[in-house]
Amino acid sequence: MKSIIKYLQILPLIMLLASCSSSDDSGVDEEKPSITINYDGGFPQACEVLERGNTYTFKARVTDNLALAAYSLNIHHNFDHHTHDDQGAQCELEPTKDAVNPMIYIENFDIEEGTTSYEINVSIDIPEDIDPGDYHCSFSVTDVTGWQSRTSVDIKIL
C-alpha cells in the first residue's frame, strides 16, 4: 500500500515533466513587421512642408515575414513640442502655442489577407481652415499575430 501512495505522489510530477517540451516551437512568430517612408515615393519625408487646401498622397512600405493585417495613419499637431520614440530627424520647431483648430486625422485600414508586402497609399485633403504649424505624421502596421511597428516624422502645415 505504501508503494502505491508513493507512486501516486510522484505521478503528478512525472505528468508535469512529460508535458514540457524541449523542442523549439517554430510556429511562433517572433518578428515584427517593418515599415518605412525612406524610399523614392515615400511621403512625407521628415520636415516636409504641406500647404493647407491641397491634397497629398501619404505613402509608406510595409512588409512582414508571415502576413500583414492592418495599418493606420495618424496626423496630429505638435504645438507642444512632444516627441515620439521612433522619430528620426528633428526639425526646427515654431514656438509652442495652444491649438485652436488643429488638424487631427486618425484612420485604420485592413490589408488583404495573406499579403506580406504592401504600399500604404492614402490621399488626404488638408483643410484650409486648420491651425498652421508643426505636426506629426505617424504610420503604424500590425501583422496577423499582433506584432506592431510604427514610424513618425515631423511635418509642417502652412
Side-chain angles (χ1 to χ4, degrees), residues 3-4 20-21 28 40 43-44 46 58 64 72-73 75 77 87 107 116 120 144-145 147:
S3 64
I4 293 174
C20 297
S21 172
V28 176
D40 286 340
F43 184 86
F58 290 73
D64 188 63
S72 67
L73 177 58
I75 301 170
H77 74 83
Q87 269 179 263
E107 287 292 330
T116 59
I120 295 171
V144 293
T145 59
W147 285 107

Side-chain angles (χ1 to χ4, degrees), residues 14-36:
I14 292 171
M15 291 175 62
L16 178 67
L17 290 174
S19 68
C20 297
S21 172
S22 63
S23 67
D24 291 334
D25 186 357
S26 62
V28 176
D29 182 17
E30 296 181 358
E31 190 175 323
K32 291 182 177 184
S34 68
I35 184 168
T36 185

Side-chain angles (χ1 to χ4, degrees), residues 104-139:
I104 299 175
Y105 178 91
I106 303 171
E107 287 292 330
N108 299 309
F109 304 89
D110 291 328
I111 297 175
E112 185 177 330
E113 190 174 316
T115 303
T116 59
S117 181
Y118 184 80
E119 183 176 53
I120 295 171
N121 190 327
V122 179
S123 290
I124 299 175
D125 297 324
I126 308 295
E128 290 187 24
D129 62 345
I130 62 162
D131 295 341
D134 300 309
Y135 283 81
H136 284 147
C137 175
S138 302
F139 292 93

Side-chain angles (χ1 to χ4, degrees), residues 43-150:
F43 184 86
Q45 296 297 310
C47 308
E48 190 98 32
V49 177
L50 287 67
E51 295 181 14
R52 294 181 293 175
N54 289 335
T55 300
Y56 295 92
T57 302
F58 290 73
K59 293 183 178 185
R61 282 192 187 143
V62 295
T63 60
D64 188 63
N65 61 320
L66 293 179
L68 298 161
Y71 66 92
S72 67
L73 177 58
N74 177 326
I75 301 170
H76 59 274
H77 74 83
N78 185 25
F79 301 159
D80 60 357
H81 296 178
H82 68 273
T83 61
H84 296 273
D85 60 351
D86 59 324
Q87 269 179 263
Q90 295 293 318
C91 305
E92 188 174 321
L93 301 175
E94 298 176 4
T96 59
K97 65 181 181 180
D98 292 327
V100 176
N101 187 31
M103 177 175 178
I104 299 175
Y105 178 91
I106 303 171
E107 287 292 330
N108 299 309
F109 304 89
D110 291 328
I111 297 175
E112 185 177 330
E113 190 174 316
T115 303
T116 59
S117 181
Y118 184 80
E119 183 176 53
I120 295 171
N121 190 327
V122 179
S123 290
I124 299 175
D125 297 324
I126 308 295
E128 290 187 24
D129 62 345
I130 62 162
D131 295 341
D134 300 309
Y135 283 81
H136 284 147
C137 175
S138 302
F139 292 93
S140 68
V141 62
T142 306
D143 71 13
V144 293
T145 59
W147 285 107
Q148 183 182 57
S149 295
R150 66 176 180 245

